Amino acid sequence: MNGAGVLNIERGGVKEEGRWVRFWRRQFQPEATRGQTVFDVVFGIVLPILCFIFDPAIFRGNFFGGHALFERIQLPVYAMALIEISALTVWLCAGKRLAHRSAALGGMLYAGALISLLIGIALLPLSLIGILLLGLGLLGFTPFFTALVFFRNGRRAFHLGSETVGGERKLAAMALGLLFVLGLPAAVHVKVSGIAEESIEKILKGDETEAQAAAEQLRFISYFAGTETDKIVWAYHNEQNQVRRDRLARLYFRITGKDIEQRLTFLLD
């Protein structure tokens, strides 16, 4: 039988003739078409950056001043996104000139595909609901297209590496790329979280000198410590001593640049 979407079987083999089969096969050919490159730039670089910039309440605090849905993993996600977008940009610009390093780059891009897929799945319920709100939820499906971009480019980079590197070395290089993308952001997240918790502890229980030093340290990572700084707000709310309340309010403003009373009012609502 012939026709779109139909497979011909000849001499025990399968001859691909369906349009659907040919479409997907073209997506993973060794050489990218111009259209695929444009698609990769849009869905692998431009749209992910825009989604992070205009994020209303997923990884950053929402428009109403509350915490984001996944604010606690904001730092590692941002770090992974930075690494992945940089890796994809390097691959799209340099391509075959990176033959000896492309297996490791392939591992990094494979990690990007996995991360994007997991983000897409996590956002799927919100995306489906958001479609009803002027279609804004459609942006929530971007991670699935981004996953496709990273996967096919990772596949191309990995197979290019196999032309210049032996099997075991190729797998080791790919594993190293995966470890770098997943391990480095996780390590940074653990370190920053530890600094934030230690600083908050000194602010709440330390003397004036310790509290001032801790506030100054925390000020530089306050963007990624939103949930931790609310501990200062609750301590202010529960504190009976006016001198200590004033100190907590002053330190909170030093760290966040925001009024502690306004934050407390929001948290109590």
Side-chain angles (χ1 to χ4, degrees):
M1 296 176 63
N2 291 317
V6 181
L7 296 180
N8 271 357
I9 302 178
E10 296 181 354
R11 299 180 181 179
V14 178
K15 180 180 178 181
E16 297 177 346
E17 292 188 352
R19 292 179 182 176
W20 186 249
V21 174
R22 291 200 301 270
F23 170 79
W24 280 107
R25 186 170 184 174
R26 286 198 305 271
Q27 305 311 306
F28 302 101
Q29 288 177 339
E31 298 293 334
T33 65
R34 182 172 181 176
Q36 288 174 358
T37 301
V38 171
F39 183 94
D40 292 349
V41 171
V42 172
F43 285 93
I45 300 175
V46 177
L47 278 181
I49 292 176
L50 291 178
C51 286
F52 283 122
I53 292 175
F54 297 105
D55 173 17
I58 305 301
F59 297 108
R60 291 193 300 146
N62 62 47
F63 293 137
F64 303 102
H67 289 300
L69 187 63
F70 300 119
E71 187 171 338
R72 288 188 176 276
I73 59 171
Q74 178 193 55
L75 178 57
V77 169
Y78 278 19
M80 289 177 188
L82 176 62
I83 294 172
E84 288 298 336
I85 291 174
S86 300
L88 180 62
T89 302
V90 169
W91 167 251
L92 293 177
C93 292
K96 292 185 176 180
R97 286 176 288 176
L98 298 173
H100 291 283
R101 298 176 179 86
S102 62
L105 198 57
M108 295 172 65
L109 294 173
Y110 275 144
L114 176 61
I115 294 166
S116 299
L117 180 62
L118 292 177
I119 291 175
I121 293 173
L123 297 181
L124 187 58
L126 293 176
S127 301
L128 293 174
I129 295 173
I131 291 177
L132 303 176
L133 303 175
L134 302 177
L136 295 178
L138 292 174
L139 288 175
F141 292 94
T142 298
F144 292 110
F145 294 104
T146 303
L148 170 63
V149 170
F150 282 119
F151 180 78
R152 74 175 171 195
N153 282 281
R155 187 171 185 270
R156 285 167 179 161
F158 182 70
H159 284 288
L160 176 61
S162 67
E163 298 175 2
T164 57
V165 180
E168 291 185 358
R169 291 180 59 190
K170 179 183 68 173
L171 291 175
M174 184 184 73
L176 185 63
L178 281 165
L179 181 63
F180 177 76
V181 172
L182 300 176
L184 181 61
V188 172
H189 175 63
V190 170
K191 181 65 176 178
V192 171
S193 297
I195 293 174
E197 291 178 4
E198 183 180 351
S199 298
I200 293 293
E201 187 73 10
K202 290 180 179 178
I203 289 172
L204 297 181
K205 298 182 180 180
D207 58 28
E208 182 67 26
T209 302
E210 287 181 327
Q212 289 288 349
E216 189 65 24
Q217 186 177 44
L218 190 57
R219 184 168 67 90
F220 291 103
I221 59 172
S222 61
Y223 187 83
F224 301 107
T227 56
E228 291 295 325
T229 56
D230 277 348
K231 293 179 181 179
I232 302 175
V233 181
W234 288 118
Y236 171 86
H237 176 63
N238 296 322
E239 181 60 55
Q240 301 299 318
N241 186 291
Q242 188 59 43
V243 175
R244 285 187 57 82
R245 281 172 62 88
D246 291 342
R247 189 182 81 166
L248 290 172
R250 186 175 65 255
L251 292 175
Y252 182 81
F253 182 81
R254 175 65 176 167
I255 295 166
T256 65
K258 300 177 181 179
D259 182 76
I260 197 168
E261 282 286 350
Q262 292 182 359
R263 184 62 184 169
L264 178 60
T265 299
F266 174 84
L267 294 176
L268 291 175
D269 284 345

